Amino acid sequence: MNFKPKGIIPPIITPLDDEGNVKYDVLKQMVNHLIEQGVHGLFPLGTTGEFYAFDDETYEKIIRTVKEETKGRVPVYAGCNHITTRGVIHQVKICEKIGVDAVSVLTPMFVSQTQDELYKFYADIAKSTYLPIILYNNKPKTNVTIEPSTVQKLSKIDNIVGVKDSTGDMTNTCEYIRLTLDNPNFSVLMGRDTLIYQALCSGATGAISSCANVAPRLVADIYDKFMAKDYKGSLEAQYKLSPLRLATNLATFPAIIKEGLCQEGFNVGKCLDPIGEASKEAKEKLHAILKDLNLV
């Protein structure tokens, strides 16, 4: 398996109208904007893309729209997330038909699996497809974690090519890296935007960054400058980004990401109910941050 997940990959938002219908014209606009700003991949229907909100027909159309509009300029990673193994495999088969470059698979939600069950979950999905698979640990959202020893075992499966760590726990991230150092075909991606630079220093190959929707060039600078050995510039970009990431806590995720894009002039709409809009005070705080970043 030659696919190497790397760089800054925004989990692209899903633009919605007031009735909750996808605005595909705005989705295409976002695809082109993000690529022009220098991101290294696109990831439809991650957590930031409200993956939980759509039926199969809409799911397929969103991913197909991103894939076709990307026109091969960057890899397309698609979220395949379901409580059951067969539910994930069903989505993976849709992604095979579309021709995405890789899929990201979140740990099952609600069910509290053992590590043996998690291993079998991912191994069975990997066996069902030729697509590269990225494990996705978002313990703060799912209350389920993939322990480092389990990632080490899963990394030995040929088409499991990486893990995204959104725990915010650098010890966990470093253990993922340490325990897979002997496998050059396995990558660790940071999933917490305040820790991208630290993860790169430790051996991560990039980040899946929600804030890259709002500040794509700034987030890409963290990676690009690091790869150019401009470590001071990379760290400066990281610290510039941190207030924006911390501001996402001002409302239910991902409302602040969408609000930031609206303030920048992208007509992405609000999140699907029951997620409400950010408060007036939160919008004002966000606006001040965006102004400091010269984004508004």
Side-chain angles (χ1 to χ4, degrees):
M1 183 66 61
N2 295 321
F3 183 80
K4 184 81 173 173
K6 61 183 180 180
I8 300 302
I9 306 153
I12 188 169
I13 55 88
T14 305
L16 301 171
D17 65 20
D18 291 342
E19 285 72 48
N21 301 306
V22 179
K23 297 196 281 193
Y24 293 99
D25 57 336
V26 180
L27 182 58
K28 292 176 183 179
Q29 180 189 15
M30 284 297 303
V31 167
N32 289 301
H33 169 66
L34 294 173
I35 294 173
E36 287 162 7
Q37 289 292 304
V39 303
H40 308 91
L42 292 174
F43 175 13
L45 293 172
T47 306
T48 312
E50 301 173 80
F51 71 84
Y52 43 77
F54 306 107
D55 59 22
D56 279 357
E57 182 180 356
T58 309
Y59 173 88
E60 180 171 347
K61 190 170 180 181
I62 290 168
I63 295 173
R64 189 177 296 281
T65 299
V66 173
K67 175 65 177 175
E68 291 179 353
E69 193 65 22
T70 298
K71 297 182 175 73
R73 290 174 286 175
V74 296
V76 173
Y77 306 69
C80 295
N81 309 302
H82 198 277
I83 290 175
T84 67
T85 304
R86 68 180 182 181
V88 173
I89 291 173
H90 174 70
Q91 292 185 337
V92 168
K93 294 305 174 186
I94 294 172
C95 290
E96 284 182 355
K97 182 171 63 174
I98 295 168
V100 302
D101 298 281
V103 294
S104 164
V105 180
L106 182 64
T107 56
M109 299 147 282
F110 185 73
V111 181
S112 298
Q113 307 88 39
T114 66
Q115 292 300 301
D116 286 344
E117 288 168 335
L118 272 179
Y119 177 85
K120 186 174 187 303
F121 170 74
Y122 283 112
D124 287 348
I125 293 164
K127 194 186 305 180
S128 77
T129 184
Y130 59 85
L131 287 174
I133 294 170
I134 297 165
L135 316 173
Y136 179 11
N137 184 355
N138 195 342
K139 183 183 177 183
K141 295 290 187 189
T142 65
N143 203 34
V144 174
T145 195
I146 317 173
E147 292 178 0
S149 59
T150 305
V151 168
Q152 182 183 34
K153 286 167 58 182
L154 287 166
S155 72
K156 300 181 188 305
I157 297 173
D158 185 52
N159 63 326
I160 295 182
V161 298
V163 60
K164 174 191 177 185
D165 188 4
S166 294
T167 63
D169 180 349
M170 270 304 297
T171 297
N172 190 72
T173 303
C174 288
E175 280 298 278
Y176 283 171
I177 295 168
R178 183 180 73 84
L179 292 174
T180 59
L181 278 175
D182 61 347
N183 186 349
N185 298 317
F186 190 83
S187 299
V188 177
L189 298 165
M190 175 48 69
R192 184 63 64 90
D193 290 0
T194 49
L195 296 173
I196 299 170
Y197 175 83
Q198 292 85 344
L200 292 172
C201 287
S202 299
T205 62
I208 297 176
S209 164
S210 59
C211 288
N213 280 280
V214 180
R217 184 60 260 163
L218 175 61
V219 186
D221 276 348
I222 301 172
Y223 177 82
D224 289 342
K225 291 183 178 183
F226 188 90
M227 297 306 293
K229 299 186 179 180
D230 177 8
Y231 303 121
K232 183 172 183 285
S234 176
L235 182 58
E236 286 173 352
Q238 175 69 82
Y239 284 149
K240 282 182 70 176
L241 176 68
S242 292
L244 177 60
R245 174 59 183 87
L246 295 172
T248 62
N249 296 323
L250 294 171
T252 302
F253 193 85
I256 287 293
I257 300 296
K258 283 195 162 180
E259 173 60 26
L261 286 164
C262 287
Q263 290 193 22
E264 290 178 354
F266 295 96
N267 190 19
V268 300
K270 66 181 289 293
C271 297
L272 199 67
D273 289 340
I275 299 176
E277 288 190 61
S279 67
K280 182 174 182 291
E281 180 184 11
K283 289 180 180 181
E284 290 171 352
K285 288 181 179 178
L286 175 61
H287 190 79
I289 292 168
L290 296 178
K291 192 171 181 181
D292 284 345
L293 294 175
N294 295 315
L295 292 172
V296 293

